[in-house]
Amino acid sequence: MALFDRLKDQAKNLQQQAQGGRGTTTGGAGHGGSHGGSRGGSRAQLVGVLKTQLGSLKAELKSGAYRDASMAMCALVAAADGHVDAAEIQQTESLILGNEVLQNFPPEQLRTRFHKHVDQLTRNFAQGKAEALQEVAKAAKKPTEARAVIQTGIVIAGADGHFSQAEQAVLREACGVLGLAPAEFQL
C-alpha cells in the first residue's frame, strides 16, 4: 500500500535526522513524487520500522510530557471507534508495556495514565477525547516528542494489522493539536 510505503520512508528519514544530529525540519509533507506500490510494504513492516525509529530516539524520549501524551494517544487509538472493550484495553496495555521506548517509564505510571484516559473516554467520549487531546498537546513544545507521540499512536494502531479510518481520524486530530501536518504521516 502506498500509504504504508510513504510512512515507512518518513520513519527512515526521521531516523536519519535523529542519527545525524538535532536539525529541525518542517516535515516530509513537501516530498514530491509517488512511491511505487510495487514495493509491497506491509503494515507489519511499517510498525517494525516505526518501532526501530522510536527506539533510536529512546534516550531523548524521557520527559513526563512525552509519557503523558503517549498514554493519552494510546487511549485515543484504543477508543477511536467510540467503544473500548476489556480485551482491547488489555491488548493495548500489553503493547504499551512491551514498547521499548515506553520502558523508560515505570509500568505503573503508564498503566495509571492510560486507564485514566480510557475511563474518561468510556464515561463521556466527547469530554474524554477533549481531555486526552489536551494532554497530547503538551508534547507540542518539542518537535521530536510531538512526532514520537504520533508514531507511537501509529505503532499501537497498526499492531493488530488493521489501521481503521477511526484510528486515522484520531491521529489526524492529534497532529492538529501538536502543530504537525497529517500529510507528514500520510494520514
Side-chain angles (χ1 to χ4, degrees):
M1 296 183 103
L3 166 71
F4 290 101
D5 287 339
R6 295 193 70 188
L7 280 171
K8 187 168 62 173
D9 290 344
Q10 178 65 26
K12 286 178 184 178
N13 290 339
L14 289 171
Q15 184 175 15
Q16 290 169 351
Q17 288 173 11
Q19 291 171 347
R22 297 181 139 249
T24 59
T25 74
T26 57
H31 287 266
S34 173
H35 295 90
S38 63
R39 292 175 50 186
S42 72
R43 289 182 176 126
Q45 288 174 317
L46 170 67
V47 170
V49 168
L50 288 176
K51 282 182 181 178
T52 300
Q53 193 271 327
L54 285 168
S56 72
L57 297 173
K58 184 176 180 177
E60 293 182 54
L61 300 173
K62 292 185 177 184
S63 76
Y66 169 71
R67 175 200 59 210
D68 296 350
S70 291
M71 291 305 91
M73 185 79 261
C74 290
L76 283 166
V77 167
D81 63 359
H83 174 72
V84 186
D85 61 34
E88 194 171 14
I89 292 170
Q90 186 174 6
Q91 178 187 16
T92 303
E93 184 178 314
S94 176
L95 291 167
I96 289 167
L97 297 178
N99 183 286
E100 179 184 356
V101 176
L102 294 173
Q103 289 175 359
N104 280 336
F105 308 103
E108 203 49 46
Q109 287 181 6
L110 300 174
R111 273 190 199 100
T112 299
R113 284 160 176 81
F114 172 67
H115 285 282
K116 176 188 106 176
H117 288 291
V118 168
D119 291 345
Q120 290 171 332
L121 288 159
T122 301
R123 276 195 308 272
N124 181 332
F125 184 77
Q127 182 179 347
K129 183 177 176 182
E131 290 177 18
L133 286 170
Q134 285 177 343
E135 197 72 46
V136 167
K138 293 178 183 178
K141 295 175 186 170
K142 296 182 180 177
T144 299
E145 289 183 3
R147 284 179 177 82
V149 168
I150 298 301
Q151 292 169 331
T152 299
I154 292 169
V155 167
I156 296 298
D160 65 357
H162 179 67
F163 196 36
S164 74
Q165 292 294 326
E167 290 167 337
Q168 290 180 47
V170 79
L171 285 160
R172 281 192 296 274
E173 286 183 68
C175 285
V177 301
L178 289 169
L180 300 171
E184 180 177 339
F185 303 95
Q186 297 302 308
L187 294 169

